[in-house]
Amino acid sequence: MDSLLFLSARRLVAHRPLPAVPAQLYPVLFQAAFLDGRPLVLQDLVAQWPFPVLNFQQIVGRRELFRDHPSKLCIQSIILAMVEQLRRDLEEPGCDSSPCHLRVLDVTGLQDDAAGRAPDGMSVWSGTVALAKACVEVSKHQREFQKRGSRSHKGHSSTAAAPRSVDVHADLFVNGTSYGILWDALQAGNAGPLRLKCREFQAEELCLAGIVSLLKSLDPSGVRRVDLRFNNLGLGGLSLVLPHLSRFPNLRSLRLPYSNIDVRRLTPESVQGIRCLARELGKLQSLRELNLGSSRLSGNLRHILCKLEAPLESLELAFCSLLPSDFAFLSQSFHALALKRLDLSGHDFSQTLLQPLQHLLEETSASLLHLDLMECHLTDSHLAPLLVSLQRCSLLRSLGLFGNSFSMVGLKDLLWKTVVLPHLQLVVYPIPVDCYKPGLDPGWILEEQLDRERLGAVSAELGRMLESSGRADMIWTSNPYGHGALDYFSL
């Protein structure tokens, strides 16, 4: 329920221009204008922002609020207002009459993925481009003003104070299309009034030279995550990229999924590549999350992680072709006692890997919060031993089992055995084999194979079971995409 203060703010921002108000009301007015989609009012507020910092998430609130609101126009209007203020400062250097005291604009964490976002929402990619263009524009205006100033004051010394600058903290997503403008913005920001400070850097389908040049251009102090995916780097490419990561002292998350790493058949080159990978990972002293998804590691996990000096808290090894020896290493390592998130999706636990998995879960049971075992060839016959290990994970919050082959009987057993876990809030369960039409292969999940009426009945029955067990607070869903990706920094 909205507070009386927020309701009053909504009435105020419905009319323009705004009346003079005390500084302490600016945050609630900003929140109301943003959520009601009033870009012109937001421009007015930024032009007179009375504080040195404007942090979107702190003011507007939860990320969920952005999904149903017109964030794109609003964010663009705020960027335009900031650019306009810096241009005025350049035209009137040393002037202290400006009511705008903004020095730091923090737009981190605002953008959502495409799923669930309003059509007029702003993606990470489009936000990156908008900010980069703003940096380039302000830098260009600065150069033009300096040229005019040097001509008009030729032969005269100038004691004018340096113009105000604004640091923009943002999460950046770049691909081949946006590489040029982002590179220009990072170069301009080194000496310009508008400086990009990256918190999370994601590069997708970008060439090796492009990745390296951008990493070298980032301000190292604030980078907490680097995400390089679909770049086809291989071990050779990673050996050239990873040395540039050691300049980021606060790098806690490194995500390298789909990097074309395949060390199932060792060669002298791949052995050297593994050693390089291990050596560079060992230099990242703040690293706590590592994603090597879709790498073919088969027996080499020990050699890759051997140089890490601190335990990982999040490890994603989906579809990594792990062997029993890899599970044995993890179970015996210091990582096991610290892991909060573990993704082992895409491994066949129907045969020799089931017992190593049980052992690993027992070793991680004191810390594990999130576990993903999607598409792991699990059936009803594997549930009993798996549940023995799962029940020891007393802190578990979410469990992903989508893509396995359980019957309705198996799902009921899973529910009754896991409702006793006090912190478990989300279970992504597989569509039970009972819900496939007779004579069709349940290994292929196709729309026409499902009995929708039966699936609806299953969902209703699971809901009744949760309610009768006193766990109506739990979410059981067969939709693996409906609740957003779990993030290490929210653990």
Side-chain angles (χ1 to χ4, degrees):
M1 183 178 295
D2 293 332
S3 67
L4 181 58
L5 177 61
F6 181 73
L7 292 173
S8 301
R10 294 186 73 177
R11 292 293 299 272
L12 274 178
V13 300
H15 305 282
R16 188 172 181 254
L18 294 175
V21 296
Q24 60 265 31
L25 293 181
Y26 270 71
V28 69
L29 290 172
F30 185 95
Q31 182 186 49
F34 190 92
L35 296 180
D36 283 357
R38 302 191 182 279
L40 295 179
V41 175
L42 287 169
Q43 287 186 0
D44 295 341
L45 290 170
V46 172
Q48 303 185 66
W49 195 250
F51 309 109
V53 178
L54 197 167
N55 186 308
F56 269 53
Q57 275 200 304
Q58 288 183 3
I59 294 176
V60 178
R62 302 183 311 276
R63 289 183 65 179
E64 291 81 359
L65 294 174
F66 293 89
R67 293 181 181 174
D68 302 319
H69 293 87
S71 61
K72 188 171 186 177
L73 281 177
C74 289
I75 294 175
Q76 288 175 336
S77 70
I78 293 164
I79 295 173
L80 288 173
M82 180 178 60
V83 169
E84 181 59 28
Q85 286 302 308
L86 290 174
R87 292 183 62 172
R88 289 183 180 179
D89 288 349
L90 288 169
E91 296 290 347
E92 302 176 9
C95 179
D96 296 326
S97 61
S98 173
C100 180
H101 292 82
L102 185 63
R103 296 296 182 273
V104 175
L105 176 66
D106 192 326
V107 294
T108 58
L110 296 186
Q111 299 90 348
D112 237 323
D113 56 11
R117 190 177 62 238
D120 51 358
M122 178 166 274
S123 67
V124 184
W125 184 89
S126 58
T128 298
V129 171
L131 288 170
K133 288 181 176 179
C135 289
V136 172
E137 180 182 346
V138 173
S139 179
K140 180 181 178 181
H141 187 79
Q142 181 188 40
R143 291 194 302 271
E144 293 173 349
F145 175 76
Q146 289 173 340
K147 288 180 181 178
R148 294 199 306 269
S150 63
R151 287 195 296 266
S152 60
H153 296 91
K154 195 169 183 178
H156 300 14
S157 61
S158 176
T159 58
R164 174 166 58 102
S165 63
V166 174
D167 290 342
V168 181
H169 296 255
D171 300 327
L172 305 178
F173 173 31
V174 60
N175 56 19
T177 305
S178 57
Y179 166 78
I181 186 65
L182 180 58
W183 191 87
D184 289 343
L186 292 173
Q187 305 312 305
N190 291 330
L194 191 58
R195 300 187 292 249
L196 277 179
K197 305 289 185 179
C198 178
R199 185 185 71 159
E200 298 187 7
F201 175 79
Q202 180 177 342
E204 187 172 299
E205 297 182 340
L206 202 60
C207 68
L208 175 62
I211 294 173
V212 170
S213 66
L214 290 178
L215 290 175
K216 292 169 67 175
S217 301
L218 295 176
D219 184 308
S221 60
V223 178
R224 70 177 191 178
R225 168 176 284 156
V226 170
D227 189 336
L228 309 175
R229 60 181 61 205
F230 301 113
N231 294 297
N232 198 30
L233 293 172
L235 278 176
L238 286 176
S239 67
L240 297 175
V241 168
L242 294 187
H244 298 282
L245 301 184
S246 57
R247 60 188 292 267
F248 303 132
N250 300 311
L251 184 67
R252 297 180 64 84
S253 172
L254 176 59
R255 304 175 64 84
L256 303 169
Y258 312 105
S259 291
N260 192 23
I261 302 173
D262 190 344
V263 292
R264 288 174 293 182
R265 295 181 180 179
L266 291 177
T267 64
E269 291 78 13
S270 61
V271 169
Q272 184 62 31
I274 290 174
R275 289 174 181 169
C276 177
L277 177 58
R279 182 175 64 252
E280 296 303 327
L281 289 177
K283 295 178 183 178
L284 307 178
Q285 297 185 2
S286 297
L287 189 67
R288 297 297 181 270
E289 178 180 52
L290 180 62
N291 182 339
L292 295 172
S294 295
S295 301
R296 303 295 189 260
L297 304 181
S298 300
N300 290 286
L301 190 61
R302 176 190 304 272
H303 306 299
I304 291 172
L305 303 184
C306 65
K307 298 294 185 180
L308 291 176
E309 297 182 1
L312 295 170
E313 296 176 348
S314 176
L315 184 57
E316 297 179 65
L317 298 170
F319 299 92
C320 281
S321 303
L322 299 182
L323 300 179
S325 59
D326 296 309
F327 284 87
F329 159 72
L330 272 183
S331 299
Q332 298 163 10
S333 70
F334 64 173
H335 305 292
L337 300 177
L339 281 174
K340 297 179 180 180
R341 180 183 180 187
L342 182 60
D343 187 348
L344 296 170
S345 299
H347 290 91
D348 187 350
F349 291 115
S350 65
Q351 303 294 330
T352 58
L353 290 181
L354 183 57
Q355 190 171 356
L357 171 64
Q358 289 179 260
H359 187 205
L360 177 58
L361 292 180
E362 291 166 5
E363 294 299 319
T364 61
S365 60
S367 60
L368 195 61
L369 304 178
H370 305 282
L371 175 64
D372 281 314
L373 299 173
M374 300 193 185
E375 300 183 30
C376 288
H377 303 271
L378 293 167
T379 65
D380 289 0
S381 63
H382 307 115
L383 269 177
L386 180 61
L387 284 168
V388 171
S389 302
L390 285 176
Q391 286 179 311
R392 297 187 181 185
C393 302
S394 58
L395 299 180
L396 197 64
R397 296 179 189 170
S398 73
L399 175 63
L401 292 168
F402 186 82
N404 293 294
S405 298
F406 297 155
S407 68
M408 185 57 190
V409 172
L411 280 184
K412 289 181 180 180
D413 189 34
L414 176 66
L415 187 147
W416 290 127
K417 297 289 177 58
T418 55
V419 290
V420 299
L421 297 174
H423 300 284
L424 188 60
Q425 293 294 321
L426 173 64
V427 175
V428 182
Y429 63 87
I431 297 173
V433 294
D434 314 60
C435 294
Y436 294 102
K437 296 176 182 178
L440 295 176
D441 181 9
W444 294 89
I445 302 177
L446 300 175
E447 190 75 18
E448 59 269 21
Q449 292 179 246
L450 292 176
D451 186 330
R452 289 289 172 184
E453 184 176 348
R454 195 163 191 175
L455 182 58
V458 166
S459 177
E461 185 171 359
L462 292 175
R464 289 191 295 269
M465 291 172 64
L466 289 171
E467 189 170 355
S468 66
S469 63
R471 291 304 309 272
D473 60 309
M474 288 180 66
I475 297 174
W476 272 61
T477 177
S478 60
N479 182 2
Y481 309 108
H483 297 274
L486 298 170
D487 187 79
Y488 164 72
F489 292 103
S490 65
L491 296 180

